[in-house]
Amino acid sequence: MSELLYQWLGEAPVPYEEGWELQRRLHRHRVADRLPDTVLLLEHEPVYTAGKRTGPWDRPQTDPGAPVFDIDRGGKITWHGPGQLTAYPIVRLPDPMDVVAYVRTLEEAVIGLLDEFGLVGKRVEGRTGVWLDADPVRGLVERKIAAIGCRVAKGVTMHGFAVNCDNDLSWFDRIVPCGISDAGVTSLSAELGRGVRVSDILASTERHLAAALGASAYRRAEGVPVLPEPADA
């Protein structure tokens, strides 16, 4: 991979439908080789997104207080919102395409990020995302700190991962997050006992994701990109 472009949309939370439409536009441009491999970085307004494997029992059973979107990624239901860094890589996978290896790459990037903050992230067999070990001394079960859900179309990725920084974890109480009922959800702030904002992990996320993807260089642009569609789009 050559240069990786990070597109940071800023600290103002983005409505989910706006971020999803921007992903689709970027995907069309990347498929047509009209832009480089690009990663959208943002915070969302509160939203639940339900992947293809979401069952009725996973969904909110009462008014969740936020919209629920059924989307085209794998996996089940999760929450996005303020205080959580959401990353959407729009990158072309090499041939032969290996989607599982790509998911492992995203996990590797998050594990590296957590290490910088003194946390030991891990993979759990049969479950995507990045986890922290149970801590019996503190009365804590195994818990997820970053969720991952992807889609690949025409060789180019969509959706991605979300790292909990200082978000309100009670949003997860209204669903069965990622279809997992026997584990918890946590954040950097909850684990470290101090406030860790999205802006505090941006640079580390960029560095570790670029390394995991094998980018030769990376740079950051800010704001919503202007992407005029060609007449034949």
Side-chain angles (χ1 to χ4, degrees):
M1 178 184 291
S2 56
E3 184 180 65
L4 184 64
L5 172 64
Y6 290 102
Q7 193 73 43
W8 167 235
L9 298 190
E11 295 185 358
V14 177
Y16 186 77
E17 55 268 43
E18 291 184 15
W20 195 8
E21 174 57 26
L22 181 54
Q23 272 197 82
R24 290 193 290 254
R25 293 185 65 203
L26 285 167
H27 184 269
R28 290 194 294 269
H29 280 267
R30 186 66 192 96
V31 166
D33 283 324
R34 291 193 294 265
L35 83 169
D37 288 319
T38 300
V39 182
L40 277 180
L41 297 172
L42 57 96
E43 296 179 60
H44 273 304
E45 292 182 354
V47 65
Y48 294 98
T49 64
K52 295 178 180 178
R53 295 176 50 242
T54 303
W57 49 87
D58 299 319
R59 296 172 180 270
Q61 302 303 306
T62 59
D63 179 10
V68 180
F69 283 87
D70 288 276
I71 59 173
D72 55 359
R73 63 163 168 78
K76 297 193 175 186
I77 194 167
T78 192
W79 174 88
H80 297 301
Q84 179 192 72
L85 175 61
T86 300
Y88 296 132
I90 315 293
V91 302
R92 187 180 299 281
L93 295 185
D95 290 323
M97 191 170 66
D98 187 336
V99 178
V100 173
Y102 170 66
V103 172
R104 299 289 91 82
T105 294
L106 300 184
E107 292 170 347
E108 177 186 341
V110 176
I111 289 170
L113 155 71
L114 295 177
D115 182 66
E116 284 198 24
F117 285 82
L119 296 176
V120 180
K122 68 171 189 174
R123 300 178 176 92
V124 173
E125 183 69 28
R127 295 176 171 178
T128 59
V130 177
W131 299 76
L132 301 182
D133 272 326
D135 186 344
V137 174
R138 297 167 60 199
L140 298 174
V141 298
E142 195 172 58
R143 53 221 181 275
K144 177 179 278 192
I145 196 167
I148 295 175
C150 305
R151 175 174 184 250
V152 182
K154 299 181 180 179
V156 175
T157 64
M158 294 182 70
H159 304 291
F161 64 90
V163 181
N164 296 329
C165 295
D166 61 349
N167 46 298
D168 180 355
L169 296 175
S170 68
W171 286 101
F172 293 100
D173 296 340
R174 307 170 203 189
I175 59 172
V176 181
C178 302
I180 296 167
S181 58
D182 61 346
V185 180
T186 191
S187 68
L188 280 157
S189 294
E191 295 298 324
L192 297 174
R194 59 181 174 86
V196 180
R197 301 177 58 193
V198 166
S199 58
D200 296 328
I201 73 166
L202 269 181
S204 295
T205 301
E206 291 170 347
R207 184 168 59 256
H208 285 284
L209 183 56
L213 290 172
S216 59
Y218 64 91
R219 63 186 174 90
R220 183 194 301 174
E222 300 193 2
V224 178
V226 177
L227 297 171
E229 296 288 5
D232 61 347

